[in-house]
Amino acid sequence: MEEPVQGASPAMVHAVEEISEFTAIANALCINIGTLSPEWIFSMKAAAVRANELNKPWVLDPVGVGASRFRTERCLELIALRPAVIRGNASEIMAVVGATIAPTKGVDNSTDALEAAKDLAKKAQCIVAVSGAVDLVTDGKRVLGVSNGVSLMQRITATGCAVTALIAAFVSINPGRPLESAAYALALFGLSGEIGYERSSGPASLRMNMLDALHALDEGAVLSRIRIAQI
Ligand SMILES: Nc1ncnc2c1ncn2[C@@H]1O[C@H](COP(=O)(O)OP(=O)(O)OP(=O)(O)O)[C@@H](O)[C@H]1O
Ligand SMILES: Cc1ncsc1CCO
Ligand SMILES: [Mg+2]
């Protein structure tokens, strides 16, 4: 198989001693609070500050926000450092909004998530992407709905983390259009899931097949199969 041009190349960095140099090399930064610890949050904040100094976009994945006070407080501190995009699932976005804007209403459908996402986007002045059956991407005014993907993707731990990293890669190519970049990343990832699903018998084979599909995506499949609509 012919090798396509190589795309983004990730590095997972936590030592604060490395943050300054690594952030200078990177075209985008993805901060994922999944495995949060006091030492790592220090490095995460240093990286966000450094990315801002260097005018590089950074993307936040607020994994599990709302589950503990420590996580919620640190997450709000990160949001105050102005990410270009926040990508979470509906409960995470609702939890952030509950902690910042209004008391949690304890609801979890896409309409409520959409209002929460718009509120958060306005308040934090960034793009908010809510993943789900239809991914919602908003700047607080415009909303794009991405309908690619298969529900079995939820059964693979860290598909959300992976798509947030892909959003960072896309935003680095087009930093002036974070709304569109996030929507296209979600669409291409979802499409890879759809193509991979056709050859899969469960989450483990889907994980493998969707990675193969992402690698092999071509312009024809992308242009004919991505489903992004203005909402
Ligand atoms: N019901 C669904 N139908 C189709 N695609 C879905 C559905 N739910 C989620 N997805 C897709 O799965 C991917 C991961 O989204 P999800 O909302 O599961 O993230 P997450 O909860 O943060 O995951 P994790 O914490 O495991 O990383 C996204 O690309 C999203 O579009
Ligand atoms: C399972 C898990 N725990 C911390 S991060 C992560 C990946 C899914 O968000
Ligand atoms: Mg997640």
Side-chain angles (χ1 to χ4, degrees):
M1 184 187 290
E2 196 187 318
E3 284 297 310
V5 176
Q6 289 299 305
S9 170
M12 298 168 85
V13 178
H14 299 109
V16 74
E17 291 81 358
E18 294 190 297
I19 293 296
S20 180
E21 289 161 87
F22 256 104
T23 313
I25 297 167
N27 295 113
L29 169 69
C30 178
I31 296 185
N32 180 309
I33 64 165
T35 51
L36 198 56
S37 75
E39 294 77 18
W40 283 12
I41 190 69
F42 188 78
S43 298
M44 289 170 186
K45 287 183 185 169
V49 168
R50 183 81 177 123
N52 291 343
E53 279 168 13
L54 296 165
N55 209 21
K56 295 185 181 194
W58 69 276
V59 173
L60 176 67
D61 192 321
V63 181
V65 61
S68 77
R69 211 174 71 193
F70 178 73
R71 197 166 277 251
T72 303
E73 288 171 356
R74 299 298 83 76
C75 187
L76 297 183
E77 289 163 8
L78 283 166
I79 291 172
L81 295 173
R82 302 288 312 273
V85 181
I86 303 171
R87 195 295 313 165
N89 60 37
S91 345
E92 288 161 344
I93 298 303
M94 302 288 296
V96 174
V97 173
T100 48
I101 297 165
T104 310
K105 287 186 282 175
V107 273
D108 204 3
N109 63 51
S110 62
T111 314
D112 292 316
L114 176 56
E115 286 317 306
K118 282 171 141 180
D119 285 350
L120 179 60
K122 281 187 211 143
K123 177 121 200 267
Q125 293 180 278
C126 68
I127 302 303
V128 175
V130 190
S131 53
V134 178
D135 307 305
L136 301 168
V137 189
T138 181
D139 60 6
K141 291 189 211 117
R142 290 178 62 201
V143 182
L144 299 177
V146 182
S147 313
N148 293 104
V150 291
S151 67
L152 193 64
M153 286 164 70
Q154 294 171 93
R155 297 291 167 202
I156 310 168
T157 300
T159 41
C161 305
V163 79
T164 306
L166 195 64
I167 289 171
F170 275 45
V171 173
S172 81
I173 302 295
N174 217 336
R177 318 254 332 240
L179 178 82
E180 290 81 359
S181 301
Y184 274 85
L186 284 156
L188 263 70
F189 193 72
L191 175 55
S192 304
E194 288 171 26
I195 297 169
Y197 182 75
E198 291 160 15
R199 308 169 201 147
S200 302
S201 51
S205 47
L206 177 60
R207 182 173 183 272
M208 180 181 77
N209 288 321
M210 72 179 281
L211 196 57
D212 282 352
L214 186 63
H215 174 76
L217 271 189
D218 59 37
E219 195 176 337
V222 170
L223 293 179
S224 63
R225 293 186 61 177
I226 59 168
R227 295 201 299 273
I228 302 179
Q230 256 333 315
I231 291 182

